[in-house]
Amino acid sequence: MLTVDFSRFPLAPGDRVLDLGCGAGRHAFECYRRGAQVVALDQNAEEIREVAKWFAAMKEAGEAPAGATATAMEGDALALPFPDESFDVVIISEVMEHIPDDKGVLAEMVRVLKPGGRIAVTVPRYGPEKVCWALSDAYHEVEGGHIRIYKADELLAKIRGAGLRPYGSHHAHALHSPYWWLKCAFGVDNDKALPVRAYHKLLVWDIMKKPLATRVVEQALNPLIGKSFVAYATKPHLPKAAAAEADAT
């Protein structure tokens, strides 16, 4: 299940991509399939080991085209172990709401992104997330949990403040909002409640089968209750005079 829409976020074979806070690796795997040179980074060692196994399995199965590469590694989002201007593309999906110093993370992403490069940022949407917080303290008051809820204009302002130029945004995963409302209402750790189990079954069926009916319904509902807000931006090129001055120093 992808949150980034690659029809709005073009990726070329050979692009060097950083999936920052990659989690289980869903976006990293898609970029690998598209022929990118992917680095999937996360602070969770167990998830990184699993992502590395999947990369190896994909290579063995011939799922990635010739020239594509994939590396999974542990790392700190606030101190990325890469030189300046290392990547053509950076993706950070459902991560920034967990990190106290979100401006610091944005600054690191901008540092490692090449001029003209593209960045995709996804966070939980304000409205659906507020409902979850209202229904359950356990949803967010856990170690490593969500520490803030972004309004769209607030996130876009932070992206601009980091020196990036937003060029598009949208909402995604409307069908997932009711699922999380049910989870919060019946208990975040209670997977046995009948409504939660039934809705989860529906989501799994939808993800696996991708029926036209649910695709149409979700597209119609995304502007209203989409679970995620997705923003796309570019890193501008320095004017020639400024670039020459930067090189001189």
Side-chain angles (χ1 to χ4, degrees), residues 102-180:
D102 57 348
K103 289 184 178 178
V105 172
L106 277 169
E108 272 294 86
M109 290 190 288
V110 171
R111 179 183 69 78
V112 301
L113 187 64
K114 296 176 182 178
R118 303 171 304 287
I119 186 168
V121 181
T122 92
V123 297
R125 185 184 186 175
Y126 183 82
E129 187 76 347
K130 283 287 282 187
V131 174
C132 289
W133 282 44
L135 289 172
S136 171
D137 290 337
Y139 172 78
H140 63 96
E141 291 183 356
V142 294
E143 184 178 355
H146 299 183
I147 62 171
R148 71 174 66 81
I149 307 175
Y150 288 100
K151 291 184 177 179
D153 57 355
E154 174 195 0
L155 179 62
L156 291 171
K158 287 188 175 184
I159 289 172
R160 291 188 188 96
L164 297 165
R165 290 180 182 167
Y167 69 83
S169 64
H170 63 91
H171 299 99
H173 309 319
L175 294 180
H176 288 249
S177 290
Y179 172 71
W180 282 102

Side-chain angles (χ1 to χ4, degrees), residues 179 183 186-194 196-198 200:
Y179 172 71
K183 288 271 287 181
F186 285 93
V188 173
D189 296 322
N190 179 13
D191 294 325
K192 295 182 179 179
L194 180 59
V196 174
R197 285 193 290 118
H200 183 263

